[in-house]
């Protein structure tokens, strides 16, 4: 077969073509491409008997698209064709089937590779969309796959993970993607996929931004968007609920100003069951029910009364307007009782420090209307920093003990932290009773983990605890690539080389580039390239107590240590004992 260009008026669709029919086929998906680039792929044709005329065996949709463009522009361009034998009907049918049935759409990863090449060639997104007849959002979704690790794209291409899982992985940082791959590779580990993956990424609760009753422009917290651009989620559920509850109260006040008799808030633990209520107009005492879901969504049901109230209204009873039954205690008398009982309990608890200590631990873990305790988020924008901390010896040891405490308290092993409860009274009391069952050593284990989770990074409290314990950072840390990647100051590197390799080596290499200085340090720390190994080296600003290499200032640990020293009262008595007395003795 040879390539020829044939005028459109000399072409028609063959009856052997799978697309043959009186009704023109749908060409909306290829029409934009034909408008912009013309017909690129050749049509398969064969002579139809008339001199110079041909019938189309494969390519009917391209032909119809070209005719539409010709009507729009007034110019009918000749179409590229390859000519089959006019006598072989079987070959014509086979060619049409191969053209229309054997073709497979390119998978999204292949599309990403193609679109990425076009972007590198200088094509704009809207130009790509016009060429392929696809919406801008579709192009953005495909290009978003480039933010995933190559191996995850490979798993998606091989259909080992589904589309929902891939979309949620686009919410993950590079370190989270690596952690997910580690779970995927471990046959004994649970691998979160689909919507469970979203819960894994957000620590158990993922709240879509579309559920917010407040303006996102004024929101103080952080939100995270999936790279497909469809959804956005709140990074901190506690910050979201604080803003959402405030917005609910504002909406409630507006309803009351509009004349509604009442606005009932239905908490997440309950649910507005429509069959228990009937519609009632505002003027007939209808209320508004704010149904709050655990997902963050709030649905306002306007104009409802209970079914019991509706039945009474039908019978003409006026119970709804009758004076409510008087409670046994007035609010003032109830306050009197509550405050006296409170005073008695806290005075008696002075003689039972073990009980007080357990109740305090329960408050620190669960929270209450008077206690707000948040775990240290350990966040960092740099992926290398996050990965370095996540894989450190200290974090590994702490996570192991945290999981032991979760089991001790009968919490789910999937909980990311021990602390950070929602402050509900039932959970607080239930946890208190559980702590009463535990011996003193176990309580101290719980408290140590709780304090560790809620210790603010970079604070003077870290300095105070680390100094008091006498921490040697060499037991918990060693130099890694993340550290060297973050140091760019040549003066600082020179001082550190002198510390690791000696003044002679530092002076001899004073004019070298930063990369050379880092390599010298790395060789000494690893004992490589014949250099003397520097054992247990820790940068000055990471030690307890910390110090600086220069006089320029700007070292956070040194400033925190200075605050700690300034607030510490001078010792006037004997040195305190190293160990804290057991709770049983204190009691």
């Amino acid at each position: 077969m040879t390539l020829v260009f044939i005028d459109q008026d000399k072409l028609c669709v063959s009856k052997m073509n799978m697309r043959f029919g009186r009704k023109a086929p749908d060409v909306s998906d290829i029409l934009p491409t034909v408008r912009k680039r013309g017909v690129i792929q050749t049509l398969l044709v064969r002579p139809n008997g008339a001199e110079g005329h041909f019938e189309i065996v494969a390519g009917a949709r391209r032909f119809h698209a070209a005719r539409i463009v010709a009507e729009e522009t007034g110019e009918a361009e000749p179409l590229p064709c390859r000519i089959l034998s006019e006598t072989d009907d079987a070959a014509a049918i086979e060619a049409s089937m191969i053209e229309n049935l054997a073709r497979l759409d390119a998978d999204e990863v292949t599309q990403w590779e193609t679109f990425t090449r076009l972007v590198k060639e200088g094509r704009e997104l809207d130009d790509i969309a016009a060429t392929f007849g696809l919406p801008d959002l579709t192009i953005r979704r495909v290009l978003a796959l480039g933010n995933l690790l190559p191996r995850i794209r490979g798993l998606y291409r091989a259909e080992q993970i589904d589309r929902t899982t891939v979309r949620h992985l686009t919410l993950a940082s590079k370190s989270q993607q690596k952690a997910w791959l580690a779970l995927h590779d471990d046959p004994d580990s649970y691998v979160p996929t689909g919507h469970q993956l979203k819960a894994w990424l957000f620590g158990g609760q993922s709240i879509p931004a579309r559920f917010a009753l407040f303006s996102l422009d004024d929101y103080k917290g952080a939100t995270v968007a999936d790279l497909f651009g469809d959804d956005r989620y709140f990074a901190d559920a506690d910050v979201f609920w604080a803003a959402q509850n405030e917005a609910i109260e504002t909406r409630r006040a507006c309803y009351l100003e509009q004349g509604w008799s009442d606005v009932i808030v239905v908490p997440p633990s309950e649910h507005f069951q429509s069959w228990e209520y009937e519609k009632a107009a505002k003027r007939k005492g209808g209320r508004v029910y704010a149904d709050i879901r655990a997902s963050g969504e709030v649905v306002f049901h306007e104009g409802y009364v209970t079914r019991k109230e509706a039945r009474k209204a039908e019978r003409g009873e006026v119970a709804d307007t009758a004076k409510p039954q008087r409670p046994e205690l007035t609010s003032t008398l109830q306050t009197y009782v509550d405050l006296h009982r409170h005073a008695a309990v806290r005075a008696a608890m002075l003689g039972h420090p073990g009980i007080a200590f357990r109740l305090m631990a329960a408050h620190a873990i669960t929270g209450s209307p008077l206690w707000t305790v948040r775990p240290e988020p350990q966040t960092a924008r740099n992926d290398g920093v996050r990965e370095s901390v996540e894989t450190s010896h200290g974090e590994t040891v702490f996570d192991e003990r945290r999981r032991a405490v979760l089991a001790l308290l009968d919490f789910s092993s999937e909980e990311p932290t021990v602390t950070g409860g929602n402050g509900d009274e039932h959970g607080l009391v239930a946890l208190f009773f559980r702590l009463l069952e535990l011996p003193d050593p176990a309580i101290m284990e719980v408290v140590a983990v709780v304090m560790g989770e809620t210790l603010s990074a970079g604070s003077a409290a870290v300095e105070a605890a680390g100094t008091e314990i006498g921490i040697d950072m060499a037991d918990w840390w060693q130099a890694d690539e993340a550290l060297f990647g973050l140091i760019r100051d040549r003066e600082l590197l020179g001082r550190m080389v002198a510390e690791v390799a000696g003044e002679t080596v530092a002076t001899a290499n004073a004019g070298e580039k930063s990369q050379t200085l880092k390599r010298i340090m790395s060789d000494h720390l690893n004992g490589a390239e014949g250099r003397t190994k520097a054992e247990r080296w820790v940068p000055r600003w990471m030690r307890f107590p910390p110090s600086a290499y220069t006089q320029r200032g700007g070292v956070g640990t040194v400033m925190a240590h200075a605050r700690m020293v300034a607030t510490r009262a001078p010792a006037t008595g004997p040195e305190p004992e190293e160990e804290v007395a057991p709770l049983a003795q204190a009691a």
Side-chain angles (χ1 to χ4, degrees):
M1 295 185 291
T2 57
L3 175 65
V4 295
F5 286 84
I6 302 175
D7 293 335
Q8 294 184 28
D9 58 358
K10 294 183 178 180
L11 294 171
C12 64
V13 180
S14 171
K15 293 183 178 180
M16 301 296 178
N17 191 299
M18 288 184 64
R19 305 284 186 184
F20 179 81
R22 295 180 180 179
K23 185 178 180 180
D26 180 18
V27 295
S28 58
D29 57 332
I30 65 171
L31 188 57
T33 304
V34 175
R35 284 197 184 104
K36 189 172 182 66
R37 303 296 182 197
V39 175
I40 299 174
Q41 188 175 354
T42 57
L43 285 66
L44 295 181
V45 302
R46 67 176 187 173
N48 70 348
E51 182 65 24
H53 285 70
F54 299 85
E55 59 184 23
I56 300 169
V57 174
R61 294 177 72 241
R62 277 163 275 158
F63 170 66
H64 282 286
R67 291 181 64 179
I68 292 174
V69 173
E71 292 176 0
E72 293 173 349
T73 62
E75 297 180 6
E77 294 288 339
L79 302 180
C81 303
R82 294 188 183 275
I83 303 175
L84 296 169
S85 169
E86 62 180 322
T87 59
D88 194 347
D89 287 346
I93 295 172
E94 184 182 58
S96 178
M97 291 184 68
I98 291 173
E99 176 81 1
N100 291 286
L101 294 182
R103 183 180 66 235
L104 293 175
D105 292 333
D107 61 78
E108 285 185 309
V109 178
T110 302
Q111 293 176 25
W112 168 76
E113 293 170 345
T114 303
F115 293 160
T116 302
R117 287 198 296 269
L118 290 174
V119 170
K120 290 180 178 179
E121 291 294 327
R123 296 288 181 83
E124 298 294 334
L125 188 143
D126 56 352
D127 188 37
I128 297 175
T131 300
F132 290 91
L134 298 172
D136 287 2
L137 180 58
T138 300
I139 304 296
R140 292 181 188 276
R141 285 176 175 172
V142 174
L143 289 175
L145 295 176
N147 292 278
L148 293 171
L149 294 175
R151 182 145 176 261
I152 292 179
R153 289 199 299 268
L155 292 172
Y156 183 39
R157 168 181 267 164
E159 298 183 353
Q160 295 183 34
I161 53 178
D162 59 22
R163 178 182 175 84
T164 302
T165 300
V166 164
R167 287 190 60 180
H168 291 145
L169 281 172
T170 62
L171 290 163
S173 64
K174 289 294 190 295
S175 60
Q176 285 178 313
Q177 292 179 34
K178 291 177 182 177
W180 185 87
L181 283 172
L183 293 175
H184 181 273
D185 294 337
D186 187 352
D188 298 325
S189 296
Y190 165 75
V191 186
T193 57
H195 294 288
Q196 293 176 338
L197 171 59
K198 185 164 53 172
W200 179 77
L201 292 172
F202 285 88
Q205 188 175 23
S206 54
I207 302 174
R210 66 178 183 275
F211 289 163
L213 298 178
F214 49 85
S215 171
L216 294 178
D217 295 334
D218 301 328
Y219 180 60
K220 304 301 182 183
T223 58
V224 181
D226 73 295
L227 298 177
F228 286 105
D230 283 354
D231 297 307
R232 181 171 287 275
Y233 301 90
F234 292 98
D236 190 322
D238 292 336
V239 178
F240 160 79
W241 279 113
Q244 188 79 329
N245 289 333
E246 184 178 342
I248 292 171
E249 284 302 314
T250 301
R251 186 75 68 87
R252 181 176 182 275
C254 290
Y255 275 119
L256 293 175
E257 288 180 4
Q258 294 169 9
W260 291 96
S261 63
D262 198 2
V263 178
I264 307 298
V265 176
V266 183
S269 58
E270 302 175 18
H271 188 61
F272 180 83
Q273 307 289 0
S274 58
W275 60 84
E276 296 179 352
Y277 301 86
E278 288 195 11
K279 291 289 289 183
K282 184 192 303 183
R283 59 186 175 81
K284 293 186 176 182
R287 306 184 191 91
V288 177
Y289 288 83
D291 188 12
I292 304 176
R293 310 288 176 82
S295 63
E297 183 180 11
V298 182
V299 180
F300 290 91
H301 303 276
E302 299 179 358
Y304 282 89
V305 294
T306 64
R307 188 172 294 276
K308 182 178 180 181
E309 291 171 328
R311 297 289 80 81
K312 288 183 178 180
E314 289 176 359
R315 294 193 298 266
E317 298 180 12
V318 294
D320 292 339
T321 59
K323 185 177 180 179
Q325 188 175 14
R326 186 174 61 187
E328 183 173 336
L329 300 184
T330 65
S331 60
T332 305
L333 181 53
Q334 183 65 62
T335 301
Y336 175 90
V337 172
D338 289 341
L339 291 180
H340 273 287
R341 297 178 83 245
H342 176 268
V345 169
R346 70 180 184 178
M349 205 157 45
L350 296 174
H352 299 273
I355 290 177
F357 193 72
R358 285 164 170 80
L359 187 56
M360 183 177 69
H363 277 74
I365 294 172
T366 306
S368 79
L370 300 180
W371 282 63
T372 301
V373 180
R374 292 179 296 169
E376 162 61 48
Q378 292 187 304
T379 56
R381 295 182 179 180
N382 185 289
D383 285 345
V385 173
R386 284 198 300 272
E387 185 172 353
S388 177
V389 173
E390 289 170 2
T391 58
S392 68
H393 177 51
E395 193 64 20
T396 301
V397 170
F398 186 82
D399 188 61
E400 181 180 343
R401 299 289 282 276
R402 171 167 45 202
R403 292 183 184 279
V405 168
L406 286 170
L408 195 65
L409 300 178
D410 294 331
F411 287 175
S412 169
S413 60
E414 299 299 321
E415 291 286 344
T417 60
V418 174
T419 56
N422 58 12
D424 69 285
E425 192 173 65
H426 174 77
L428 172 64
V429 175
L431 179 60
F432 172 58
F433 286 142
R434 173 59 182 154
L435 293 173
L436 287 175
E437 299 172 356
L438 300 178
D440 288 355
I443 295 297
M444 299 305 283
E445 284 278 330
V446 173
V447 171
V449 169
V450 169
M451 192 62 256
E453 285 187 352
T454 57
L455 184 61
S456 179
S459 66
V462 171
E463 295 303 313
T467 302
E468 192 68 22
I469 295 170
I471 291 177
D472 185 346
M473 281 298 294
D475 295 333
W476 301 96
W477 174 90
Q478 62 181 9
D480 56 14
E481 292 182 4
L483 172 71
F484 289 122
L486 295 170
I487 302 175
R488 298 180 177 85
D489 189 302
R490 290 189 72 256
E491 180 186 4
L492 183 59
L493 280 170
R495 302 287 180 88
M496 297 171 78
V497 169
E499 197 171 54
V500 172
E503 290 289 349
T504 303
V505 175
T507 302
N509 292 276
E512 295 293 337
K513 296 180 179 179
S514 297
Q515 287 299 114
T516 302
L517 297 178
K518 292 178 183 179
R519 187 168 62 251
I520 292 172
M521 289 185 63
S522 178
D523 289 343
H524 273 283
L525 293 173
N526 296 314
E529 302 296 330
R531 297 188 184 273
T532 304
K533 186 173 183 179
E535 300 284 355
R536 299 176 64 81
W537 174 79
V538 176
R540 293 181 184 178
W541 7 263
M542 292 184 69
R543 301 171 190 169
F544 287 93
S547 61
Y549 286 94
T550 70
Q551 299 298 318
R552 304 200 307 258
V555 181
T557 52
V558 173
M559 291 187 287
H561 185 76
R563 294 196 300 272
M564 182 269 291
V565 171
T567 57
R568 184 167 190 172
T572 57
E575 288 293 322
E577 295 182 4
E578 182 177 352
E579 296 296 332
V580 178
L583 294 178
Q585 295 179 16

